[in-house]
Amino acid sequence: MLKALFLLVGLLLQWAIAYGQAPLLRSHPNKEFPDVKPTTLFQSREGWIWLGGEGGLLRFDGQHFEQFPLPDSNDLQVTAIYESSDRLWVGFQSGKIAYLESRLSNWPVANLSLEPQPFHYWSLEAAQLTSAISGFLLDSSGNLWISTYGDGLYCWSEGSMYRFNEQDETISSNDIYQMVLGADNRIWVATDAGISICSLTAAGQKRVQRLGTADGLPDEIVTCLLPDPSGNMWIGTYDHGVCRYNIGKAVFDFGTPDWSLGHVSAMATFGNQEIWVGTNKNGLHCIDIPAGTIRVQSPDAPIGKLKINALLKDREGQIWLLADRNNLYSLNIAFGLLETPDKDVQSILVDKHENIWVGTAKGLYLQQSGGFKNLLPRENILSIAELSDGTMLAGSFGNGLWIMSPKGGKIRHMTENEGIPNGSILSITTDVDGFWLATLGGAARCSWQAPFAPQDCICETLQDLGANYVYKVFKDKKGRVWFGTDGKGLFMLFNGSLRQFKEINGKTIRTVYDIEEDYKGQIWFTTAANGLYRWDGSSFFNYTISQQLHSNAIQSLNLDNKGKLLLGYEDGLDIFNTVIGHVAFQNNSTGLPAQSFNLNADCRDAKGNIWLGSSTGVMKYTSTQESFHYDPTPSITAVTVFMKAIDFSKIHAFQYDQNYMVLHFAGLWFTNPDQVRFRYKMEGYDLDWKVTKDHLASYSNLPDGHYLFRVQTSEHGSFDHTPEASYAFSISKAFWRTWWFIGLSCFTLAGVFYFWINGRENRFQREALLRKEKADSQFAALKSQINPHFLFNSFNTLITIIEEQPKTAVEYVEHLSDFYRSMMSYREKDFISLQDEMAIVHDFYYLLQKRFEDNFHLQSPTQIPNGFIMPLTLQMLVENAVKHNVISKAHPLQIDIFIENAQWMVVRNNLQSKIIADPSTHFGLRSLIERYSLVSSQKVIVEKPPPILLLRCP
Amino acid sequence: MRSFTGFNSALQQEHFYENYIETERYPITSFNGKIIEKIDFNANGSYTIRAKGKLFVHGESQERIIKSTLDIRDQKAVVHSEFTILLSDHNIDIPKIVSQKIATEIRVEVDATLYRKPPSK
C-alpha cells in the first residue's frame, strides 16, 4: 500500500531537467600541508572549519590552514570530527577516539606546544573499538553515540557502553555511513540495509525501528541522512537519488525516480527551500523543495564535474565542499548564475508561471524546457512587463513596443507612429486597465477598452513631464505613479496631480534611475551621483558611501520581501539589510558569480527571489529566512605572558612582574577573510582604539591596575554595532608600592625623625643645664673661696708663721698664691687632669696643714694615673670635710684619697660632726653630684657608715 | 589476471599487463565482499544485486559497491556484472605523453557461472 502511494506521489511531481543557476566555485587550495588529504568537514562553535582525513587534522580560518598535532604520529587518519559542550572529538580510522578541550581548540597551533598534551585518547575498558569511526552525536539526554564503519553503533550512557550491531539483531548492518539526530529525538543511522532508527530508554533498553524498501525506501543502500527544519528526514541513496520521509505521518512524500546522477555522497539544506545534493561524480545539484523540482548543474560547468566527498554548510550561509582529490571549495549558494545565449542581459522578468524572459541586444528570449527561444530576433530589448492576464510587453531601443501572448506569439507592434512618444522604451509598469511607458521622449499611459483588445490600445503622453528621458516608471501600492527622469529629478503622479521632487535636503537631484517600494510602503530610489534615498512619506533619508555603500553610482535597485535591498554596481553588489542596518559587499572574490550589473536590469519573482541582469548572464539571488552570521566573529584566541601561554579562561590576576602581555585574536569571516579589520583598546591603558590587520596586540610594560582588553571586527571598515570580544584582568602592585608598605615606611621615618629631634632637644637641655650648673658652681666656688673665713684663717695662720718662720711664710704665701692662681685658671675648664687636681689638693693641704698642724692628715696616692676629673672636685671635698668636722688634738681628721678599681676617686674621712654646724647650704656637694650626673653616667656616691664619710667620684 | 580478453589490439593488451597493471608485481586482482541484498539461492529467478567489498587492483584496495545480475536456474547461478575501475583509485599512472590516447578508467565485464555443489554423501 505504502509503496503504491509513494509511486503515485512520485509521478505527480515535476521533474525539470532544465539546468539550474550555477553558483560560483571558490577554491581554497591547501598548499601548506599536502600530506593531509581531508575527507570530512566540521565547523566548531567558535567558527573554525576543521578538516580531517588521511594525514591528520587541519584547521582553516578562511585564509590559512594549521595542522593540529595528534597524540600518535602513526595513527593520523581522521574519519570523524564533532564538538560537544566542552570538547572537540576526533575519530580515527583505527577506531581510536581522541578529544581536545574546547578552549585549546581556539589556540594558535604554535602555542599548543606549551600544553603538555593537548589531545587525549578516550579509552574505555568497556569496549575496544577497532573499526573506523564514522560519526559522533550527543542526544538530548546527554548520551554520547558513536557510529562506526564495521562495528555498528555504540552508546555511552551514564557510565555504561551499549552496543547496537548486526549480531544482536538491532541495527541492520554494521557499516554505518552516517548518523543523525532526527526530529523525533531518535538516532537515525544510514547503512547498506536501509535505515535503523535507534533509541535508548531511560531504563537502558535498546529500541530499533527499521525502514527498508518494504516501507517505501527506494534503495536499501542509504548513504546520507539530513533532518530539515520542518521535521522531515531527507535520505540520500546509492542508486536512486534523494527521497524525503515525513516523520509525523510516517510516509515517504518525495522522491526522484529516474535518477541518473550517481551516488549521493552528502547533502545540505538552505532554509526550507532548497536541498543541495552532492554526488560522487556529477557534482552538486539543488532540489527546490516547494516546487518539487531539481536544478541540475550542467555537466560542463566545473561544479557539475566534481566528485564530492563531504559537504558543510557554515554559519554565514556558504557551502563548503571536499571534492575530487581532497580539494576544498566554497560556494555562496544564495547566488546562482544562469547563462543566457547572449550574455549581456539588459532586462529580465520571471512571469507568474516561472518562465524566465530575458531581453538582450539580440532579442527577447524565453526559457522553456531546457533551452532559450528567441522570440524577437535582432530586436534590442530594454524592458519587459507582464499584464494581469498574462500578456507580455517588451520595449525595445528605438523600435517601440511589442505586445506578446504568454507563449510568445506576437500580437501587436506599436511604434512612434501609433502614438507612443518615443521608440526607446526604458521601463514599463502596469496600472489598472492599462500600463505606463517610460521612454526617451517622456512618459505615456496606454489603455484599452475592456475586454482587453490590444489592437485597440491607445497611448497618451503625459504632458506635464515634458519630453525628456524617463528612466523608470513605477506604480506603488497606494496607486501613486513615480517617474525617474534625467535632469528633472523625481516625479509623483497622484490623483491627477503631478509633484516634482528636485531639491532634497539641500541637494539638487537631477537624475533618478530606479524606483522601488519596500514592504513597509517606503519608496526607495537611486540617483546618478547622490546614492540612494528613502522616503517614508514625509522625510527623505540619504545613503551614500558614508553609510558603507560601495559606491554612489548604483546601477540597479531591488528589494526582496524580507527587508533586504540589493544594490547592483558595475563591479559588485551590496546587500543592505534594512532591518538591522548592515551593508555587506560582494563580488567575485566573495563568491558572487557575476559582478557587472546593468542599469535597471532586475526583477523580483513571486517567491521573493531577485534576478539581476549582468554582462555575463542572469544572476539569481535566493532570499531566505535563515539567519546567518553577517559580521565577522571576534574571539580572543590566546594570551601570553612573557611569551608563555596561559589559560585565560581561568586566570585573571597577575603579579606586578607579569606585565609583558601579548593578546592574540581572530576574526572569522569566511565570506571575505581578506577584508577583516580589527580594532582594539586596552581599557585602563590605551587612550583610543587602534585599527589593525594584524592578529595580535602586545603590551610590553603594563603598570599595575585593572584592565579590560576589547577587540572588535568589521569587514568594511566601519565599527559601529560590530561584535566584540573582551578579556578582563588585573595586575597587582609591587609590594613596595602598596599602601601599607608606604604608610609604614613613612610612619617609621617620621618616628625616627621625631626621636632624633627629641634626642637633640634632650642633649641641648642637658648641655644647657650643665653650663648652668657649672656657672653656678663656679660662682659658688668663687664665692666660697673669697669666703672671708678662709682668707681670715689663712692670714691668721700667715701671721703666726711670719714672725717665727719667715721662710715658711714665704712658702706659705707662694702656696696660697699658687692655689688661688690654679683655682682661677681651672675654674673655666670642664675637666682637668688628675695630676693638676692633686696639685691643687696638695696646695690646699699645705695651707690647711700650716693652720691645723698635726691634727690634719691627708693621704694621697703616690701613683697618680692618667685621668680627668672635674676641677676642684677633690679640693671641695677636702674643704667640706674640714668645714663639717671637728679638728682638734683630741679628734684629728684623717682624709684618705685613693683610687678604687681604677674608676673611682675615693675621699674618705672619719666623721666627727661639729656640734654647732656652720651654716651651710650643702650647695657644694649637691652641685657636684648634679654636675657629675650631667656628665657621666656614673654617679657620685656618698656613703656614711659611721664613723666614716666616704665619697666616691667616678 | 591474465585472463582478460577484449582488447583492441595485442599491443594494447601487452601495455595493459606490463606497464599499467604491472602483473609481474601484482598478479592477482580480486574482489572480496558480500552481497547486500538477501538472496534465496534456492529460488530460481533473476535478481539485480549489489556486492560491497574491497577491490584489490595494482596493490591498492578500494571499497566498492558493484552491481551485478544474478540468474539462478536450478543447479547453476550465472553472474553478470559491468563496472569501471578508475586508474587513479589504484595508483596506476599513465605517462603524460600518451595520456591523450588512454582512457582514465577501465571498463570491466565479468561473466561467471557458479555450479551448485552436490550435497556431500
Side-chain angles (χ1 to χ4, degrees):
Chain A
M1 176 60 200
L2 277 168
K3 208 169 181 179
L5 192 67
F6 166 68
L7 280 172
L8 185 68
V9 167
L11 285 169
L12 288 174
L13 291 167
Q14 268 195 347
W15 170 247
I17 314 174
Y19 293 138
Q21 300 81 34
L24 185 71
L25 214 56
R26 275 201 290 170
S27 165
H28 303 275
N30 166 20
K31 296 197 185 88
E32 294 120 308
F33 303 100
D35 291 333
V36 180
K37 301 193 181 347
T39 50
T40 176
L41 282 174
F42 182 75
Q43 183 171 39
S44 67
R45 260 195 317 274
E46 289 276 331
W48 306 91
I49 289 186
W50 295 82
L51 303 98
E54 228 182 280
L57 184 66
L58 296 178
R59 186 181 71 183
F60 187 55
D61 68 352
Q63 288 174 302
H64 303 290
F65 291 89
E66 280 179 295
Q67 182 165 22
F68 263 67
L70 291 170
D72 183 354
S73 56
N74 293 326
D75 184 10
L76 288 178
Q77 190 167 1
V78 174
T79 50
I81 308 173
Y82 183 69
E83 189 178 22
S84 65
S85 55
D86 62 342
R87 289 176 181 178
L88 188 78
W89 297 84
V90 165
F92 294 86
Q93 173 80 21
S94 58
K96 289 221 167 36
I97 296 171
Y99 64 87
L100 178 69
E101 274 179 73
S102 279
R103 66 174 175 95
L104 292 176
S105 68
N106 302 326
W107 283 20
V109 174
N111 288 354
L112 269 183
S113 53
L114 303 160
E115 272 283 323
Q117 182 60 281
F119 266 103
H120 302 271
Y121 273 121
W122 193 57
S123 58
L124 301 151
E125 317 80 37
Q128 284 297 334
L129 286 95
T130 47
S131 310
I133 310 288
S134 56
F136 295 94
L137 204 61
L138 262 179
D139 70 9
S140 52
S141 331
N143 303 324
L144 179 67
W145 296 81
I146 302 164
S147 65
T148 65
Y149 195 74
D151 252 350
L153 183 67
Y154 288 84
C155 177
W156 175 256
S157 169
E158 286 163 24
S160 326
M161 189 65 110
Y162 296 87
R163 225 180 129 172
F164 292 69
N165 56 17
E166 266 178 55
Q167 285 83 332
D168 62 5
E169 306 207 333
T170 45
I171 62 173
S172 39
S173 158
N174 276 347
D175 289 341
I176 300 176
Y177 290 107
Q178 191 168 18
M179 168 176 70
V180 295
L181 188 65
D184 53 357
N185 205 31
R186 291 187 295 169
I187 307 296
W188 291 61
V189 148
T191 69
D192 284 324
I195 300 172
S196 298
I197 310 171
C198 311
S199 55
L200 198 68
T201 63
Q205 289 187 304
K206 305 184 229 181
R207 299 249 182 280
V208 180
Q209 178 197 347
R210 295 198 197 171
L211 275 182
T213 44
D215 308 299
L217 192 62
D219 188 347
E220 285 286 333
I221 304 182
V222 176
T223 50
C224 358
L225 294 169
L226 183 69
D228 76 6
S230 335
N232 301 316
M233 185 62 74
W234 288 85
I235 300 160
T237 65
Y238 194 74
D239 279 327
H240 291 99
V242 175
C243 66
R244 180 174 69 182
Y245 184 74
N246 188 320
I247 300 181
K249 298 193 194 129
V251 284
F252 288 90
D253 62 1
F254 181 88
T256 53
D258 306 323
W259 174 271
S260 60
L261 298 165
H263 322 308
V264 174
S265 48
M267 300 194 288
T269 57
F270 191 60
N272 237 338
Q273 294 148 278
E274 294 176 351
I275 294 266
W276 288 80
V277 178
T279 62
N280 78 321
K281 53 179 194 240
N282 289 356
L284 193 66
H285 306 284
C286 174
I287 297 179
D288 187 333
I289 304 174
T293 58
I294 298 192
R295 287 201 297 273
V296 174
Q297 300 299 335
S298 152
D300 298 319
I303 202 178
K305 292 195 251 201
L306 296 173
K307 172 180 188 283
I308 296 179
N309 296 326
L311 273 187
L312 170 73
K313 188 176 82 171
D314 73 8
R315 330 188 282 197
E316 293 163 30
Q318 297 194 76
I319 282 195
W320 295 80
L321 307 170
L322 277 176
D324 295 333
R325 284 262 142 215
N326 314 307
N327 297 323
L328 182 65
Y329 297 98
S330 68
L331 314 162
N332 193 333
I333 48 174
F335 295 100
L337 185 69
L338 177 66
E339 299 224 333
T340 50
D342 179 20
K343 285 202 168 39
D344 201 4
V345 174
Q346 292 172 164
S347 58
I348 166 106
L349 185 84
V350 178
D351 71 17
K352 33 180 194 265
H353 304 288
E354 292 178 22
N355 298 315
I356 301 174
W357 298 74
V358 176
T360 71
K362 300 206 179 97
L364 177 68
Y365 294 88
L366 173 62
Q367 188 199 40
Q368 277 170 336
S369 58
F372 283 95
K373 187 169 160 196
N374 192 343
L375 303 170
L376 296 169
R378 291 180 303 278
E379 291 296 333
N380 189 338
I381 303 298
L382 292 180
S383 54
I384 310 173
E386 181 185 14
L387 298 179
S388 47
D389 63 358
T391 313
M392 299 304 294
L393 304 165
S396 68
F397 188 74
N399 205 9
L401 178 72
W402 294 84
I403 308 180
M404 329 266 294
S405 73
K407 293 275 173 4
K410 295 180 216 177
I411 299 178
R412 185 176 171 191
H413 179 207
M414 290 177 75
T415 63
E416 279 177 44
N417 307 329
E418 276 106 332
I420 58 174
N422 185 290
S424 297
I425 300 168
L426 273 59
S427 163
I428 310 172
T429 192
T430 56
D431 196 353
V432 179
D433 64 78
F435 53 90
W436 287 89
L437 299 174
T439 76
L440 287 186
R445 186 169 189 284
C446 303
S447 56
W448 53 83
Q449 307 300 319
F452 177 55
Q455 290 78 1
D456 299 338
C457 182
I458 42 170
C459 289
E460 237 179 79
T461 309
L462 186 64
Q463 293 306 330
D464 304 323
L465 209 51
N468 60 2
Y469 288 17
V470 181
Y471 284 110
K472 176 93 184 179
V473 61
F474 176 77
K475 174 153 172 260
D476 67 19
K477 295 196 194 73
K478 293 199 178 77
R480 301 178 291 210
V481 187
W482 298 80
F483 303 90
T485 67
D486 191 330
K488 286 202 176 169
L490 182 70
F491 285 86
M492 176 183 81
L493 178 69
F494 189 51
N495 280 342
S497 63
L498 196 62
R499 185 174 157 192
Q500 182 184 25
F501 296 94
K502 199 159 175 220
E503 290 289 330
I504 295 175
N505 294 348
K507 289 200 195 130
T508 305
I509 305 299
R510 289 206 160 63
T511 310
V512 174
Y513 284 138
D514 203 346
I515 307 165
E516 294 288 343
E517 182 183 18
D518 70 14
Y519 66 104
K520 283 195 200 149
Q522 302 179 107
I523 302 291
W524 295 78
F525 56 93
T526 59
T527 62
N530 294 28
L532 178 70
Y533 277 91
R534 167 169 68 96
W535 187 64
D536 63 358
S538 51
S539 19
F540 288 89
F541 299 88
N542 186 217
Y543 299 89
T544 60
I545 45 184
S546 324
Q547 279 77 26
Q548 310 313 322
L549 257 54
H550 174 69
S551 139
N552 284 348
I554 305 173
Q555 298 277 83
S556 65
L557 167 70
N558 227 304
L559 299 96
D560 74 354
N561 48 7
K562 297 177 181 84
K564 288 206 196 76
L565 258 76
L566 256 67
L567 302 163
Y569 304 98
E570 266 177 350
D571 58 350
L573 182 79
D574 261 336
I575 303 183
F576 183 10
N577 187 330
T578 56
V579 175
I580 54 177
H582 184 271
V583 180
F585 179 68
Q586 308 257 7
N587 59 9
N588 283 137
S589 52
T590 67
L592 203 69
Q595 66 181 21
S596 178
F597 298 102
N598 289 330
L599 192 65
N600 284 0
D602 53 88
C603 81
R604 182 172 72 216
D605 70 14
K607 293 204 192 99
N609 303 319
I610 296 176
W611 301 75
L612 294 155
S614 76
S615 56
T616 48
V618 174
M619 188 179 81
K620 178 184 170 195
Y621 168 71
T622 312
S623 87
T624 172
Q625 280 286 28
E626 254 189 290
S627 60
F628 292 119
H629 281 231
Y630 51 83
D631 267 327
T633 318
S635 65
I636 295 180
T637 55
V639 175
T640 65
V641 174
F642 280 103
M643 301 308 186
K644 206 166 110 66
I646 54 143
D647 180 3
F648 57 96
S649 59
K650 298 200 185 86
I651 299 177
H652 294 270
F654 299 97
Q655 296 300 313
Y656 71 94
D657 56 356
Q658 293 176 300
N659 60 354
Y660 173 30
M661 308 188 77
V662 177
L663 297 107
H664 298 260
F665 42 82
L668 291 169
W669 181 241
F670 294 96
T671 308
N672 206 345
D674 297 322
Q675 288 300 319
V676 174
R677 297 278 180 280
F678 299 95
R679 76 168 183 177
Y680 62 88
K681 184 178 179 193
M682 180 77 84
E683 298 280 2
Y685 186 78
D686 288 330
L687 293 170
D688 205 353
W689 294 90
K690 290 194 188 113
V691 177
T692 177
K693 232 181 141 182
D694 292 335
H695 288 242
L696 55 84
S698 73
Y699 293 90
S700 55
N701 201 359
L702 283 173
D704 54 76
H706 292 278
Y707 298 101
L708 180 68
F709 179 75
R710 301 166 62 188
V711 62
Q712 297 177 342
T713 54
S714 162
E715 85 279 19
H716 49 48
S718 151
F719 288 92
D720 305 326
H721 314 301
T722 48
E724 178 175 309
S726 57
Y727 174 58
F729 63 99
S730 62
I731 296 182
S732 57
K733 290 193 212 235
F735 72 92
W736 60 74
R737 287 168 67 121
T738 55
W739 285 118
W740 59 266
F741 188 82
I742 294 177
L744 197 63
S745 354
C746 283
F747 187 70
T748 315
L749 267 166
V752 165
F753 192 63
Y754 175 73
F755 282 119
W756 181 62
I757 299 271
N758 242 11
R760 275 181 58 163
E761 290 269 328
N762 281 347
R763 251 187 298 127
F764 288 148
Q765 265 180 5
R766 282 218 312 251
E767 276 174 24
L769 208 56
L770 188 61
R771 272 199 296 269
K772 177 165 163 284
E773 288 288 341
K774 197 166 81 167
D776 286 343
S777 75
Q778 280 167 5
F779 185 62
L782 185 62
K783 256 188 20 191
S784 70
Q785 293 320 319
I786 306 180
N787 187 1
H789 277 154
F790 180 70
L791 216 52
F792 179 64
N793 287 336
S794 303
F795 282 134
N796 270 353
T797 316
L798 186 60
I799 288 168
T800 58
I801 304 174
I802 283 180
E803 280 186 352
E804 291 170 19
Q805 302 162 29
K807 279 210 170 79
T808 319
V810 170
E811 266 182 49
Y812 190 87
V813 173
E814 278 174 356
H815 278 283
L816 189 63
S817 68
D818 273 340
F819 180 70
Y820 269 104
R821 203 186 314 115
S822 318
M823 235 184 42
M824 276 201 349
S825 72
Y826 293 143
R827 200 179 54 204
E828 261 120 49
K829 293 214 177 112
D830 288 325
F831 291 101
I832 57 173
S833 71
L834 270 171
Q835 283 96 327
D836 293 332
E837 178 76 13
M838 287 314 297
I840 295 175
V841 169
H842 280 296
D843 284 336
F844 191 59
Y845 174 58
Y846 185 82
L847 297 171
L848 287 172
Q849 204 184 28
K850 287 295 171 242
R851 184 172 153 208
F852 295 112
E853 293 185 7
D854 290 325
N855 297 332
F856 180 60
H857 282 114
L858 177 79
Q859 189 126 1
S860 67
T862 44
Q863 262 311 58
I864 299 172
N866 289 331
F868 289 87
I869 198 171
M870 275 206 236
L872 307 173
T873 306
L874 297 174
Q875 181 268 328
M876 196 191 82
L877 288 174
V878 171
E879 188 190 328
N880 272 357
V882 166
K883 194 155 119 180
H884 293 127
N885 289 303
V886 170
I887 305 177
S888 63
K889 199 153 185 177
H891 303 280
L893 183 66
Q894 175 75 29
I895 298 181
D896 288 320
I897 300 178
F898 58 89
I899 297 159
E900 197 177 74
N901 295 341
Q903 280 182 344
W904 301 87
M905 282 303 284
V906 188
V907 177
R908 183 169 65 193
N909 65 293
N910 47 335
L911 194 65
Q912 295 166 175
S913 296
K914 286 187 184 164
I915 296 169
I916 301 172
D918 285 335
S920 151
T921 57
H922 294 281
F923 178 74
L925 192 57
R926 213 167 18 127
S927 163
L928 184 75
I929 293 174
E930 281 256 0
R931 275 187 291 141
Y932 261 104
S933 74
L934 282 173
V935 164
S936 156
S937 52
Q938 292 164 312
K939 286 212 177 79
V940 174
I941 300 172
V942 179
E943 286 177 27
K944 282 191 192 173
I948 302 173
L949 180 61
L950 218 65
L951 282 122
R952 285 197 167 83
C953 303
Chain B
M1 188 63 218
R2 282 252 162 193
S3 55
F4 277 100
T5 56
F7 293 96
N8 292 336
S9 68
L11 186 64
Q12 189 192 55
Q13 182 171 16
E14 203 182 307
H15 283 155
F16 180 76
Y17 285 127
E18 286 175 15
N19 302 350
Y20 304 121
I21 299 290
E22 293 183 279
T23 43
E24 301 247 315
R25 286 162 67 185
Y26 309 107
I28 303 288
T29 298
S30 62
F31 177 75
N32 279 322
K34 61 173 200 181
I35 301 173
I36 292 175
E37 283 82 357
K38 301 216 181 334
I39 301 288
D40 180 8
F41 280 89
N42 289 320
N44 287 349
S46 204
Y47 309 95
T48 308
I49 57 161
R50 286 174 299 188
K52 179 159 106 166
K54 291 233 185 295
L55 179 64
F56 183 74
V57 178
H58 193 247
E60 290 277 320
S61 241
Q62 187 78 3
E63 193 181 83
R64 298 286 301 267
I65 296 180
I66 297 181
K67 213 188 237 176
S68 347
T69 54
L70 179 67
D71 244 325
I72 299 181
R73 204 158 296 275
D74 297 327
Q75 299 305 310
K76 59 183 190 188
V78 178
V79 177
H80 175 86
S81 172
E82 281 175 34
F83 58 95
T84 40
I85 299 179
L86 284 176
L87 294 183
S88 51
D89 277 347
H90 297 273
N91 215 9
I92 299 173
D93 292 320
I94 308 176
K96 196 150 180 253
I97 200 156
V98 294
S99 59
Q100 289 173 9
K101 288 274 185 183
I102 295 178
T104 51
E105 50 188 39
I106 308 169
R107 223 187 80 212
V108 177
E109 250 181 70
V110 173
D111 283 301
T113 311
L114 307 165
Y115 291 94
R116 191 187 288 274
K117 214 165 147 179
S120 48
K121 298 203 176 77

